[in-house]
Structures are given as C-alpha cells and as structure tokens.
Amino acid sequence: QDNSTMENTTTLTFTMTAYATLENHKHLFFILFFSLYVAAIFLNILLVTVIHQNKQLHQPMNVFACMLCFNEIYGCSVLLLPVMGVLLSKTHEISVKSCIAQVYFLHTYAASEFCILALMAYDRFVAICSPLHYHAIMTPSKAGKLIAFVGIYPFIVFGCFFSLTLQLSFCGQVIAKLYCVNMELVKNACSNASHISIIGLVLIGFLVFPQLFLIVFSYAQILRVCRKISKESQVIALKTCLPHLCSFLNYSIGSLFEVIQNRFDMSYVAIEARIFLSIYFAVIPPVTNPMLYGLGTSLFIYSLRNFCLGVFCHIFAT
C-alpha cells in the first residue's frame, strides 16, 4: 500500500486555488509580475556590473552587496517565473516535483537573505567601531571565508530539515497560495506530520535568531560609538548604515507577513491583500535593494554615470 501511495505521488498535482481570485484580470497581473521581474533582474545586474567595472568599489561591503543581488535574482526567479506560468495555465496546477523544488529554492532564498544581511551588519560594525583596523580584520581571505560560509550554511541547514518533508506521501491536492511553501506540503500529507511543524519552529532558531542577534548587536555597538564622535562623523556613519537598515527592515516586514499567514488564520483579510503580502518578501526587496545600495553611494552614482556613458559611446561608435 505504501508503494502504491508513493507511485501515485509521482504523478500527483496540486491545484493552486489562490489563482481563481486573479482569473478575471490574469493578463493584467501577468504584466505586473513580468514588469517587477524585469525591473528586479535589470537593477540587480546593473549594480553588480557597475561594482565589477570600478575597482574603487571592490570593497567587502560592496562585494557583500553583490552577493545580496545574486540572492535577489535567485529569489524572485524561483517565485515569479512559476507564478507567471501557472497564472496563464488553464488548470492552475503544479506537479508535486515542481512544488517540492520551489519549496526548497524559496526557503533557501529566504534564509540566505537573513544571513547576508547579518554579514553586512557585521561589516558595518567593524568599519565604524574599528576603522583603523578594518582592513586588518576584514582581509580578502576572511571576506572569502565569510562569503563561502554564508553561501553554504542556509542550504545545508534547511536541506537537513527538508529531508523530513521529502519522506512524506501526499494525499491532499489543494494549496491555497500562489506558490508552494513547506507548511502547505505538510498540510497535504497523507499522515499526521505535526512534528515537522514543531521542528520548523526550532529551525527558525538556526536560520533567523543568530543572524538577528548579530544585526542587533552590531547596531548597538555602532550606536555606542556614534555617541562619542562628532556630528559630522555621525552623519557619515548614518549614510553608511542607512541602506542596510532599510533593506533589513523591508525584508523583515515582508517575511513577517508570510510567517503570520502560514501559521495563523488570515481568512478575515481580503484575498487580494493576502496575495500581495505573500509575495512581498521575494518581489519588493529585489527591486528596492539595488536602488538603496546604488543611489546611497556617491561613488557608485559617479561610476554608474561613467558606465552608462561608456555603453552609449560604444553603441553609437559601432
């Protein structure tokens, strides 16, 4: 019987019921999602390209910003590309294998985002609290090790947890969202899998709280140092930290929306609002973050202008 269930699972599809709300205006929503996706890809690639082209921008903070950009491209791609595909389909169905893959990709994107933001907070802490020793502490070798650790850690930790979900067989066929998340897979399991939900809460302790602690600690130390320096230095420190603070708050709010919707009954909230809030964490930060880090730096704006002029001159020259 178990083998029969597993065989059926390989051909099972989930119906994404949230798409019924968008059906009457699906082409309008497709254009909206496509525009957001193109904007996110363009802005993130532009930021990475400009930083790569200008050696003056090859500093750890900007390298970490590039890492954030790659993660933004990863996140919005694994969310919006399947959403646009299902939106235009007639059945609004997704295969189990595709759903499982999307769960892994989306959750690792979310975990990686917090890890990278924590790494960037640590970099700002070292730069502001120990400016004279910054280059001795944040060496290229150490920056490379931090990037490798942050790049691998979320995939391994979530992968270990996700192996529990992969052992489930699925009898339910309905997912009341625009995309797949782990809790929805658990709800559709043939057997009681409440233990996965409990372990998932513990997992947050590894993928969120250490990073959150590092960010809070870093800014507490930065505030302590800022109270002892001149007003002019305080303004410079604020300008340095503001893009990171804005992106951290923006992503945290978006993630909180999604966690609340997955864990609590939100049926009293309008379905359109729930749909927007559910995609916020993987759609809005990829569009806003490149602008925050790019426009927040005068050297970047200067480099961007020179880069654009160079591109236009090359186009017209050919």
Side-chain angles (χ1 to χ4, degrees):
Q1 187 176 359
D2 290 340
N3 291 335
S4 175
T5 302
M6 291 304 294
E7 287 176 4
N8 290 337
T9 301
T10 59
T11 57
L12 185 66
T13 59
F14 293 122
T15 301
M16 316 292 283
T17 57
Y19 286 90
T21 307
L22 310 180
E23 184 63 27
N24 293 334
H25 306 285
K26 66 179 183 179
H27 293 100
L28 181 63
F29 279 103
F30 179 87
I31 293 171
L32 174 62
F33 293 152
F34 181 76
S35 300
L36 286 169
Y37 181 66
V38 170
I41 298 298
F42 172 77
L43 290 171
N44 282 283
I45 289 178
L46 179 63
L47 182 65
V48 171
T49 303
V50 171
I51 291 173
H52 178 264
Q53 293 292 329
N54 192 330
K55 291 184 178 181
Q56 289 179 284
L57 295 173
H58 292 185
Q59 301 161 4
M61 184 63 177
N62 292 325
V63 175
F64 300 150
C66 288
M67 191 179 183
L68 190 68
C69 287
F70 286 122
N71 195 54
E72 306 291 17
I73 293 171
Y74 170 60
C76 69
S77 295
V78 298
L79 175 68
L80 286 179
L81 290 179
V83 164
M84 288 188 286
V86 177
L87 187 63
L88 295 182
S89 69
K90 294 180 179 180
T91 58
H92 299 157
E93 292 180 346
I94 185 172
S95 68
V96 169
K97 288 184 178 180
S98 296
C99 189
I100 287 173
Q102 189 179 41
V103 168
Y104 181 76
F105 294 148
L106 271 180
H107 283 264
T108 49
Y109 152 75
S112 296
E113 193 84 350
F114 263 120
C115 287
I116 298 169
L117 289 170
L119 176 58
M120 296 174 85
Y122 171 72
D123 178 76
R124 291 301 83 200
F125 157 66
V126 175
I128 294 171
C129 298
S130 304
L132 298 178
H133 305 288
Y134 176 77
H135 293 291
I137 297 172
M138 196 62 70
T139 61
S141 174
K142 183 175 182 179
K145 290 176 182 177
L146 288 170
I147 288 171
F149 175 76
V150 168
I152 296 171
Y153 177 78
F155 289 88
I156 294 177
V157 174
F158 182 75
C160 292
F161 165 73
F162 195 51
S163 63
L164 297 174
T165 303
L166 294 177
Q167 296 173 23
L168 299 174
S169 53
F170 304 103
C171 295
Q173 295 182 318
V174 175
I175 291 180
K177 294 179 72 68
L178 291 181
Y179 54 89
C180 297
V181 293
N182 197 61
M183 283 302 299
E184 291 297 324
L185 284 178
V186 171
K187 289 176 185 176
N188 282 283
C190 296
S191 57
N192 183 7
S194 57
H195 65 286
I196 294 180
S197 178
I198 296 170
I199 296 173
L201 289 174
V202 176
L203 180 74
I204 294 175
F206 291 93
L207 293 177
V208 175
F209 288 122
Q211 293 82 339
L212 194 59
F213 172 79
L214 181 57
I215 293 170
V216 172
F217 172 80
S218 297
Y219 277 104
Q221 296 303 310
I222 289 170
L223 286 173
R224 181 181 61 82
V225 169
C226 284
R227 286 189 297 180
K228 301 176 183 179
I229 59 179
S230 64
K231 291 288 185 183
E232 184 179 346
S233 298
Q234 288 178 0
V235 172
I236 294 172
L238 178 63
K239 285 184 177 179
T240 304
C241 296
L242 194 59
H244 177 266
L245 269 173
C246 290
S247 60
F248 169 67
L249 292 173
N250 190 29
Y251 180 73
S252 298
I253 292 169
S255 299
L256 187 61
F257 288 151
E258 180 58 7
V259 170
I260 290 173
Q261 288 198 82
N262 285 334
R263 298 281 173 177
F264 301 100
D265 179 24
M266 298 289 288
S267 57
Y268 59 89
V269 179
I271 184 65
E272 294 82 3
R274 276 184 279 154
I275 287 172
F276 172 74
L277 296 178
S278 70
I279 65 171
Y280 186 103
F281 79 104
V283 174
I284 304 303
V287 175
T288 57
N289 282 347
M291 294 188 285
L292 284 170
Y293 290 103
L295 299 178
T297 309
S298 56
L299 178 58
F300 176 84
I301 295 173
Y302 175 76
S303 302
L304 176 61
R305 187 184 67 180
N306 289 343
F307 173 74
C308 292
L309 286 173
V311 171
F312 283 124
C313 289
H314 178 73
I315 291 173
F316 287 114
T318 54

